[in-house]
Amino acid sequence: MTSPSSKGEDVQRLFDTVPDYYDRMNRLMTLGRHAAWCRDVVKRAQLPAGGSLLDIATGTGVIALEAARRYPGATVYGVDFSEGMLAGAREKPGAEVVTWQFADANDLEFDDASFDAVTHGYLLRNVEDAERVLAEQLRVLRPGGRLVILETCPPRGLLRWPVALGVKVVIPLLGQIVARDRKSYTYLEESTLGFMSPEQVAEILRRLGFVSVSFVRRFLGTHMIVTATKP
Ligand SMILES: C[S@@+](CC[C@H](N)C(=O)[O-])C[C@H]1O[C@@H](n2cnc3c(N)ncnc32)[C@H](O)[C@@H]1O
């Protein structure tokens, strides 16, 4: 196992401190939409009967648990490099059907072509080298396997400035009031507004060799769901 990079260590520390209020903050910040997006991610994974799914950066396990619910009989792994977040996932109802495991997205300890689907929510903006992390995902996918990504992205067009202002003000404020943790949620706001567009993520995926790459925007263009297939 390799140790995380310095950005990785900061991110790991940050998430080890947030699990208690993580789900509540997510619900508030997305006005309850996060759960619906996770259902959409799992649906788009199109797991075959008895297939296997790897949810990376699983956090408190919302996507992994939804996958286990939607595809009974599937093998579902939820992995993360924050033991604090994984502890939150393990306590949830139904958690026993998922294999929860420590893993750094930069170096997945799984064999090549191990999974029919790979999913992740809010991983990419937290890593130093998104291309490397996506290449790892291509490696562990089976041919024909699907990758589904949920991520925040900077808003665009006419809504860009008003929405960006809303994100800048509301998220740190909610962090301060609900979680008493303005710093973590200032990081979230900054990493969202500074992150790649869906077009840029799609370009990386095509360069790596993924096919059938497509995306949809959600929530006034502040979220994206990107889907791709390993040829
Ligand atoms: C915002 S949370 C998202 C949790 C969950 N996917 C969701 O949608 O609610 C981001 C998660 O990514 C994890 N993470 C960030 N970088 C990682 C890495 N390099 N390897 C594994 N997990 C990572 C963090 O520990 C954290 O649990």
Side-chain angles (χ1 to χ4, degrees), residues 78-202:
V79 305
D80 202 289
F81 75 175
S82 161
E83 289 292 357
M85 293 295 266
L86 283 172
R90 287 190 181 102
E91 281 171 12
K92 288 194 167 167
E96 61 286 350
V97 297
V98 174
T99 303
W100 307 104
Q101 206 166 290
F102 177 97
D104 186 337
N106 290 287
D107 294 288
L108 297 171
E109 292 181 4
F110 295 101
D111 291 339
D112 296 0
S114 295
F115 294 97
D116 298 295
V118 170
T119 56
H120 46 90
Y122 310 136
L123 165 68
L124 286 186
R125 71 182 140 80
N126 288 308
V127 301
E128 222 152 69
D129 184 350
E131 186 154 345
R132 167 179 172 172
V133 162
L134 292 168
E136 264 297 86
Q137 296 167 20
L138 182 68
R139 182 183 70 72
V140 300
L141 271 172
R142 296 197 175 114
R146 284 167 75 84
L147 169 65
V148 191
I149 303 169
L150 169 66
E151 192 49 87
T152 53
C153 55
R156 59 180 189 147
L158 284 178
L159 287 176
R160 185 169 173 201
W161 296 114
V163 173
L165 186 66
V167 170
K168 257 184 176 325
V169 174
V170 174
I171 291 182
L173 194 64
L174 273 178
Q176 185 168 358
I177 295 168
V178 179
R180 307 215 175 280
D181 180 4
R182 191 179 181 93
K183 195 168 149 235
S184 299
Y185 288 90
T186 301
Y187 164 76
L188 167 60
E189 166 261 302
E190 287 169 358
S191 59
T192 294
L193 297 178
F195 191 60
M196 286 183 273
S197 66
E199 287 85 356
Q200 287 170 312
V201 175

